[in-house]
Amino acid sequence: MMKKFLSIALLLLLLLSSFAQVFAYEGDYNQQYYRFNDFVGVMSEDEAVELSERAESFLPIYGCDFVICVTNGLEEEDANDLDGYGEWFYRHNDFGYGPNQSGLLLVVDMDNYNFTLLSFGDCDVLLTDEAYTQICNAFIDDYAQYEPYEVYDRFLTNASALMAGGQANARENKPDWYPEDVTAFEDFLDPNAPRLVDNADAFTEAEEAAILDRINSFKAAHPESDLVVFTDKSAYGFSHAVYAADFYQFNGYGVGDDFNGSIFFLCLDPDDRGWWEAGTGKDEALFSSSTNTNRLDDLVYPHMVDGRYADGILAYIDGLDALYTDGKVPAPPKDPANWGLAGVLGAFFGLISSLVTGGARKKNMKTVAEAVRAANYLQDKHITQADNIVISTIVTSRKIEKESSGGSSGGGGSHHSRGYSSSGGRSFSGGGRRF
Amino acid sequence: MATLSNYKCPSCGAPLQFSAEGGNLHCNSCGNDYSVESIEALLHAEEHTSESFDWGNYKASLETQTMEDTVTYVCKACGAEVVTTPTTVATHCPYCDNEIVIDDRLDGGLRPNGIIPFAVDKARLKEIVADFYKDKKLLPKNYFSDAKLEEILGVYVPFWLFDCTMDGTMTFDANSVRVWVAGDYEFTETKTWRLIRSGDLSFRKVPVDASIKMDDALMDSLEPFDYKAMVPFQGAYLAGFLADRFDADPDLCLPRATSRMNRSVEEVLGSYQTGGVSGVRLRNNAMALRDTAVHYVLLPVYLINCKYGGKSYQYAVNGQTGKIVGTLPISRSRSLLYRFRDLLIAGIPAAGIIALLSYIF
């Protein structure tokens, strides 16, 4: 009997602990803590939050947690040196992506002008000695010539670009257009490459023609920018963001020396369905605003969830056209008023109101009630003792959840990333959703 | 044989009635008015003097008294035999309509300490009742034509007025919650408090109706009475009204007064210097009664009995202040109609607003 009880208790404990894991890891990483931890105050809080959000946006793109800790001395637990402190800091705060907690941690000791770069999980394998040296040298150079915010912003750019290249080379399964060695890839421009590539067979021939017409009219209106629409049945294990950026870069898209332009990638992998839009070169600035990408996503979402992919693409290009022309994306068309829901809720409120007023009206018909107080007859009072004694004090604390910036009105989980790198090291900004 | 008082007009011998409007005794036959004191002086000039009620003295003699179901009296005006209940103090002779006050139920230990005379007359009473019906939307449509006002009785209802001091200690449990933010954390401090309050609170003239047949809730609802208008008891005030003697003794009524006083003491002490704590709840009551005293008084009440749809409804009007209380019949069809109307009035705008919000957002 005792054994049975113990087994049930253990099972319950296991279930509880797994629930705790689920709540702590919303997705594949712990969202509770800031990625940029400034214990010294080298920059403003707003800047620190912005860097933290940028680092966090890289997590699903690269599957790698980029964490920065700026401290002044090693006062914390069991740490004799900066590496030990970094190890403790990373593990103690439960950083890292996925089950083996992949990530990079930069610890900067402001008291001793010292820093260390640590790698964890998969990133430990991907961070080669060469990449390690490159990141550290770039950080030292940047530290000498930039303000703190730019120093750490550039660190994130460099580190993420090297991780992306390392990840791409390490991957075995790649699409046929992918270069063998991305580090050896040389940029080129191919004005004749198709601007609509429908590998997922998402469109009919008529739809393809309509989309191509719309792309051409867009390009005619904005000759300084390229526009590519690409669909695929799989992202080959890459994130949508990196896969879209790689497709754009490795197939020679873009206009001018900066490869100006943007790409819309639609992934129809049943287990990884979603889209990503991204811009690079001069056009990257338009996509670095989460407001712009969220609004574009809001235009696309209703069509995608209904399986009307071509309509979604056309709505996207219309929105993009407005963004390039007016600097802002128009609001999505309003859904008609939901009269069914309004009727049900209205009836509910009416019923509640009717019950309340009906009750008051009924109460008005009965004005008889037994008296329970004698306050009217209290003539005199003398209070001789009034002691308030504390019996117990309990203090509890909870972590304040961070508010996510750049909300979206449409459905689906929205994601935005500023200044991430393609596997070839080119900078893109963009956003997307799953559906 | 019981002693009866006849309040007759010294001029013409017709029965006198107490006038709520003038506060004196009025003769409907010759139109003369007499003060209560002068009539009482005439009546008792050759009779015994009365002493006020004393519960301590009376209590000892109670055990020897018996209450029979009915008691018979002989009317001094016409000689007819009048049958009353054992608690009746004032009534009418059914044969000559003479006002009768049964003196021996008001004498000795049974004489009330005070009385509040009626101040609301029958004309004002009709206005009060009409106003009472006015905003009662659920009254059946044909209520006024079908309802039968069976009787309107001006009754002096016996009340005990309790004086006492509650002395001792009450302890309460309470909580206080403080929330503050430090860094990325929100802290919540919950304190449990024990509040100790000692003192004495004096109550004066807490009323409890002393008639078993009176509905306690109905009588409670008539409060408050203005005790400033209370005068020493004179039998003449009863002329023209009905009056009952108490049949619930002070020992039976004291728990109701104590319960009310306890509740008020709890509220006063529980809210005294709490210093921002909340959720105050009584943990222990160690209050004791001292300096108790009881007064026997008659208070003026109009009782209105009404029959509608086979059911009896009773209202009561405070004969001093005009406050009216009671329970009225509810028309089921009107109730449904109003509920449907409320549903539409609230439901349609709510549906419109929700539809608009669903369109905007």
Side-chain angles (χ1 to χ4, degrees):
Chain A
M1 186 68 187
M2 193 63 185
K3 269 186 180 175
K4 200 171 182 181
F5 174 77
L6 281 173
S7 342
I8 291 169
L10 271 172
L11 189 67
L12 280 172
L13 270 175
L14 274 171
L15 275 171
L16 279 173
S17 65
S18 55
F19 273 127
Q21 288 289 322
V22 166
F23 285 119
Y25 286 86
E26 288 179 43
D28 295 310
Y29 60 97
N30 188 348
Q31 297 180 335
Q32 271 196 308
Y33 302 110
Y34 286 121
R35 262 58 200 174
F36 183 83
N37 299 273
D38 180 8
F39 299 122
V40 183
V42 295
M43 66 183 75
S44 73
E45 196 173 322
D46 286 348
E47 288 175 328
V49 169
E50 198 178 322
L51 279 183
S52 196
E53 284 174 356
R54 187 180 176 212
E56 197 169 330
S57 78
F58 286 171
L59 269 153
I61 291 179
Y62 303 112
C64 173
D65 202 352
F66 296 92
V67 184
I68 299 169
C69 170
V70 184
T71 182
N72 49 7
L74 306 175
E75 296 167 0
E76 306 299 335
E77 290 79 352
D78 305 329
N80 298 321
D81 56 20
L82 213 51
D83 284 0
Y85 174 79
E87 181 80 25
W88 171 83
F89 180 78
Y90 191 89
R91 301 292 183 202
H92 180 76
N93 291 302
D94 218 9
F95 286 119
Y97 186 89
N100 57 3
Q101 293 186 269
S102 301
L104 286 183
L105 169 67
L106 174 71
V107 185
V108 182
D109 177 1
M110 296 297 289
D111 269 3
N112 302 304
Y113 292 99
N114 193 11
F115 76 93
T116 186
L117 180 64
L118 302 174
S119 55
F120 301 87
D122 293 345
C123 294
D124 199 23
V125 182
L126 296 171
L127 187 72
T128 60
D129 289 345
E130 189 185 352
Y132 178 88
T133 309
Q134 261 184 280
I135 295 172
C136 291
N137 287 340
F139 179 70
I140 293 165
D141 289 347
D142 291 342
Y143 201 88
Q145 51 184 318
Y146 295 109
E147 290 296 312
Y149 173 81
E150 287 171 276
V151 171
Y152 295 106
D153 195 42
R154 289 171 71 86
F155 164 78
L156 285 175
T157 304
N158 292 332
S160 62
L162 282 165
M163 291 310 298
Q167 281 176 334
N169 277 343
R171 217 174 280 279
E172 289 179 3
N173 185 24
K174 296 175 196 170
D176 53 8
W177 48 264
Y178 218 85
E180 275 300 312
D181 181 5
V182 294
T183 51
F185 173 78
E186 288 188 10
D187 284 327
F188 68 99
L189 282 173
D190 181 3
N192 298 319
R195 262 53 190 174
L196 172 60
V197 179
D198 184 18
N199 288 350
D201 288 330
F203 314 122
T204 63
E205 280 186 16
E207 287 172 340
E208 279 189 15
I211 293 168
L212 266 175
D213 269 1
R214 189 68 188 91
I215 291 172
N216 290 333
S217 66
F218 175 88
K219 282 168 64 70
H222 310 284
E224 297 298 313
S225 299
D226 205 349
L227 173 58
V228 182
V229 174
F230 169 47
T231 73
D232 211 334
K233 289 173 183 169
S234 167
Y236 290 83
F238 290 91
S239 64
H240 292 174
V242 171
Y243 197 66
D246 288 356
F247 184 81
Y248 187 93
Q249 183 180 9
F250 297 146
N251 287 290
Y253 293 110
V255 176
D257 297 340
D258 294 329
F259 307 97
N260 303 326
S262 63
I263 181 168
F264 184 96
F265 166 54
L266 172 63
C267 179
L268 290 181
D269 183 341
D271 298 325
D272 188 24
R273 216 160 64 133
W275 72 86
W276 186 268
E277 69 274 354
T280 188
K282 287 174 185 159
D283 296 2
E284 187 184 342
L286 292 172
F287 289 83
S288 63
S289 153
S290 60
T291 307
N292 288 343
T293 57
N294 277 332
R295 283 206 156 186
L296 285 169
D297 292 339
D298 288 344
L299 291 174
V300 174
Y301 184 79
H303 302 289
M304 294 299 184
V305 289
D306 285 350
R308 294 177 286 108
Y309 306 126
D311 290 342
I313 303 293
L314 292 171
Y316 169 78
I317 300 172
D318 287 345
L320 196 66
D321 199 358
L323 177 63
Y324 275 71
T325 309
D326 307 326
K328 62 180 181 182
V329 183
K334 297 279 185 197
D335 289 334
N338 192 340
W339 282 106
L341 176 73
V344 171
L345 289 177
F348 175 73
F349 283 122
L351 198 65
I352 297 291
S353 160
S354 148
L355 285 174
V356 171
T357 53
R361 219 172 267 125
K362 266 192 175 176
K363 203 176 169 190
N364 191 28
M365 301 296 280
K366 186 180 180 182
T367 50
V368 173
E370 201 160 308
V372 291
R373 293 175 179 82
N376 289 341
Y377 308 98
L378 178 61
Q379 193 181 55
D380 203 9
K381 62 177 178 186
H382 298 104
I383 295 173
T384 53
Q385 184 187 12
D387 293 330
N388 298 351
I389 300 162
V390 177
I391 301 297
S392 69
T393 303
I394 300 168
V395 179
T396 57
S397 64
R398 70 172 186 91
K399 175 86 177 170
I400 300 167
E401 295 297 325
K402 287 182 284 179
E403 285 180 17
S404 61
S405 61
S408 62
S409 60
S414 194
H415 184 227
H416 172 264
S417 186
R418 174 177 66 82
Y420 73 94
S421 293
S422 66
S423 303
R426 189 182 295 169
S427 178
F428 283 79
S429 289
R433 272 183 209 174
R434 293 179 186 280
F435 64 98
Chain B
M1 182 62 68
T3 313
L4 304 184
S5 280
N6 262 327
Y7 291 95
K8 285 185 174 177
C9 175
S11 300
C12 68
L16 293 172
Q17 288 193 329
F18 181 77
S19 161
E21 192 182 2
N24 50 20
L25 291 161
H26 179 73
C27 176
N28 287 324
S29 174
C30 66
N32 280 324
D33 289 318
Y34 303 94
S35 72
V36 170
E37 290 75 18
S38 60
I39 293 296
E40 281 289 339
L42 281 171
L43 188 67
H44 294 293
E46 295 173 1
E47 297 179 7
H48 61 271
T49 54
S50 300
E51 55 185 279
S52 288
F53 174 79
D54 183 312
W55 173 241
N57 292 334
Y58 176 71
K59 197 175 179 181
S61 65
L62 249 191
E63 290 170 8
T64 60
Q65 292 194 14
T66 54
M67 291 268 187
E68 293 168 13
D69 287 345
T70 56
V71 182
T72 307
Y73 299 95
V74 176
C75 173
K76 278 188 175 178
C78 67
E81 283 201 339
V82 180
V83 179
T84 71
T85 64
T87 57
T88 301
V89 169
T91 185
H92 311 272
C93 170
Y95 303 99
C96 66
D97 205 29
N98 195 39
E99 307 297 342
I100 297 172
V101 176
I102 304 165
D103 288 333
D104 58 351
R105 293 186 187 167
L106 298 167
D107 283 346
L110 297 176
R111 185 176 178 81
N113 300 101
I115 184 169
I116 296 179
F118 273 90
V120 174
D121 59 18
K122 289 277 175 76
R124 173 81 186 110
L125 182 66
K126 280 181 184 169
E127 291 171 14
I128 290 167
V129 174
D131 280 348
F132 182 54
Y133 291 149
K134 205 178 276 177
D135 65 337
K136 303 293 186 284
K137 292 176 177 166
L138 299 185
L139 266 183
K141 194 179 177 185
N142 52 355
Y143 178 72
F144 296 105
S145 55
D146 287 5
K148 291 185 174 61
L149 274 184
E150 291 202 320
E151 50 185 340
I152 298 179
L153 305 171
V155 182
Y156 279 104
V157 178
F159 271 79
W160 300 116
L161 303 184
F162 290 95
D163 292 346
C164 84
T165 298
M166 299 202 79
D167 191 359
T169 301
M170 277 188 176
T171 52
F172 301 87
D173 286 333
N175 302 318
S176 67
V177 177
R178 187 168 67 100
V179 180
W180 73 95
V181 173
D184 289 345
Y185 284 88
E186 181 186 88
F187 293 87
T188 305
E189 177 194 75
T190 308
K191 283 185 176 176
T192 304
W193 294 82
R194 182 74 37 83
L195 312 183
I196 302 170
R197 300 285 181 271
S198 299
D200 53 88
L201 290 89
S202 302
F203 291 86
R204 292 289 173 269
K205 295 189 174 70
V206 179
V208 178
D209 79 80
S211 170
I212 288 173
K213 67 187 172 199
M214 283 293 169
D215 181 343
D216 290 342
L218 192 69
M219 291 299 106
D220 285 353
S221 305
L222 288 173
E223 291 177 29
F225 286 90
D226 182 5
Y227 295 141
K228 285 177 193 156
M230 189 175 291
V231 293
F233 177 77
Q234 300 283 356
Y237 286 114
L238 306 186
F241 298 99
L242 303 178
D244 271 356
R245 202 203 75 176
F246 72 87
D247 55 0
D249 64 47
D251 285 344
L252 193 68
C253 296
L254 184 61
R256 287 194 63 221
T258 314
S259 163
R260 290 178 65 177
M261 288 186 278
N262 257 319
R263 178 70 175 270
S264 288
V265 170
E266 186 184 330
E267 287 178 355
V268 169
L269 296 185
S271 61
Y272 183 74
Q273 289 187 359
T274 52
V277 300
S278 59
V280 178
R281 57 211 176 271
L282 182 67
R283 181 184 178 82
N284 187 41
N285 181 352
M287 302 297 285
L289 290 176
R290 66 170 167 82
D291 302 337
T292 53
V294 62
H295 312 277
Y296 175 34
V297 299
L298 298 179
L299 301 181
V301 175
Y302 284 108
L303 290 174
I304 303 167
N305 291 303
C306 188
K307 265 200 172 166
Y308 179 80
K311 272 183 79 177
S312 292
Y313 297 90
Q314 190 177 49
Y315 327 131
V317 179
N318 183 320
Q320 182 193 27
T321 63
K323 180 182 182 184
I324 182 167
V325 295
T327 305
L328 289 165
I330 292 173
S331 157
R332 189 167 282 191
S333 58
R334 283 201 163 197
S335 177
L336 280 173
L337 192 72
Y338 272 105
R339 277 180 192 276
F340 185 65
R341 195 196 69 166
D342 294 342
L343 193 145
L344 292 181
I345 287 175
I348 291 173
I353 291 167
I354 292 162
L356 188 66
L357 290 175
S358 75
Y359 177 73
I360 293 171
F361 300 106

